[in-house]
Amino acid sequence: MTVTLSFLFACGLVVITALPAVEGYFLAWTYGRHSGTSSDASIEDDTRINHPRNVYNRATRDDNATTEDELLEVCKSDRTCGRGLYCDYHYGNCVQHKLELEPCRRDGHCDRGLECRFGTCQKVLKLGMEGARCKNDKDCGDNMCCAKQHGESVCKRRLPLNAKCYVPEGGVEYTIDSICPCVDGLVCRRTHQSREEDFVWQFWTDYDHMRCTPLHAEPSK
């Protein structure tokens, strides 16, 4: 009887001693099995979250918007982004308004009081001022016209006496940059030049000798 009790007591100690190891093995097996079955999904989730659009989103949105659902949102308008933000339609995320001289693609990208002009955020100019946006000559002040500068229509000064005044018949160059006509009382035409200048410029181009001259001046032949 004593031997039997001693044997049973010893077996109980073995079982109790082995329980932590068995439990640890079971937990490790369970975790490993779970990780193995969802590895593909985890890789896919990481790929989505680390997409360039979502990385840029995390860098520009406020600290509170850090959940995956928020990172994967696609904005449709500036109103959906809230105050101080705009919707970047190209990437579909919300971005903080740009400050003066920062790059932009439209007016909505710029902070209050700024507009997107020539690709950067600049202070809004009063209508009619030199450099202000325009649709036609009536939008500009005295001795100015509405002409192209870097592809945008802005108010420019009319050309003074002796200024180069040649413009092409059309084409891409004219749609990107153009100049105003001469001021009242002047006309754009070919001017006189010396014999040496005549040889050089006729070989290359006659455009340099197109200048604003007085109406009563005799045109060059």
Side-chain angles (χ1 to χ4, degrees):
M1 184 67 177
T2 305
V3 174
T4 302
L5 291 173
S6 299
F7 177 77
L8 292 174
F9 180 75
C11 290
L13 289 175
V14 171
V15 171
I16 293 172
T17 305
L19 278 177
V22 173
E23 183 181 2
Y25 176 81
F26 180 78
L27 291 175
W29 175 79
T30 304
Y31 179 78
R33 183 181 179 187
H34 176 73
S35 299
T37 56
S38 62
S39 60
D40 294 339
S42 298
I43 292 173
E44 183 179 353
D45 290 342
D46 290 343
T47 302
R48 275 197 309 165
I49 294 174
N50 292 320
H51 188 277
R53 175 176 67 81
N54 298 322
V55 172
Y56 185 68
N57 197 0
R58 289 199 296 272
T60 54
R61 297 191 66 178
D62 56 33
D63 296 336
N64 295 325
T66 54
T67 65
E68 181 181 348
D69 290 338
E70 288 175 318
L71 291 174
L72 297 178
E73 285 181 356
V74 176
C75 62
K76 299 296 183 182
S77 68
D78 293 340
R79 291 183 179 181
T80 61
C81 294
R83 182 176 297 179
L85 302 173
Y86 69 87
C87 179
D88 189 323
Y89 299 135
H90 186 79
Y91 293 105
N93 56 8
C94 295
V95 186
Q96 288 185 350
H97 281 145
K98 303 294 185 68
L99 302 178
E100 189 174 2
L101 299 182
E102 289 187 330
C104 58
R105 296 194 295 274
R106 60 182 175 89
D107 289 347
H109 290 191
C110 302
D111 206 355
R112 185 174 299 179
L114 303 176
E115 63 181 4
C116 186
R117 197 165 66 251
F118 311 135
T120 59
C121 292
Q122 302 183 33
K123 291 181 180 180
V124 179
L125 296 177
K126 186 178 179 180
L127 184 66
M129 292 180 60
E130 184 176 3
R133 287 175 175 171
C134 58
K135 293 182 179 180
N136 50 57
D137 292 349
K138 294 180 180 179
D139 294 334
C140 302
D142 295 338
N143 287 325
M144 286 193 284
C145 79
C146 189
K148 292 288 185 180
Q149 183 172 341
H150 306 316
E152 291 197 42
S153 297
V154 297
C155 293
K156 289 185 175 183
R157 293 283 179 186
R158 290 181 175 268
L159 302 179
L161 179 66
N162 248 359
K164 297 179 182 179
C165 54
Y166 170 80
V167 293
E169 294 292 331
V172 176
E173 180 184 355
Y174 183 77
T175 63
I176 297 176
D177 284 290
S178 59
I179 56 178
C180 289
C182 303
V183 297
D184 292 341
L186 302 180
V187 63
C188 182
R189 56 189 172 189
R190 192 167 183 265
T191 58
H192 292 284
Q193 64 266 6
S194 65
R195 187 172 299 178
E196 292 78 9
E197 288 177 330
D198 185 56
F199 173 79
V200 172
W201 288 107
Q202 282 192 9
F203 180 78
W204 292 104
T205 176
D206 277 338
Y207 302 154
D208 189 68
H209 294 292
M210 299 295 293
R211 302 294 179 102
C212 290
T213 58
L215 286 171
H216 59 269
E218 183 181 351
S220 177
K221 298 181 181 180

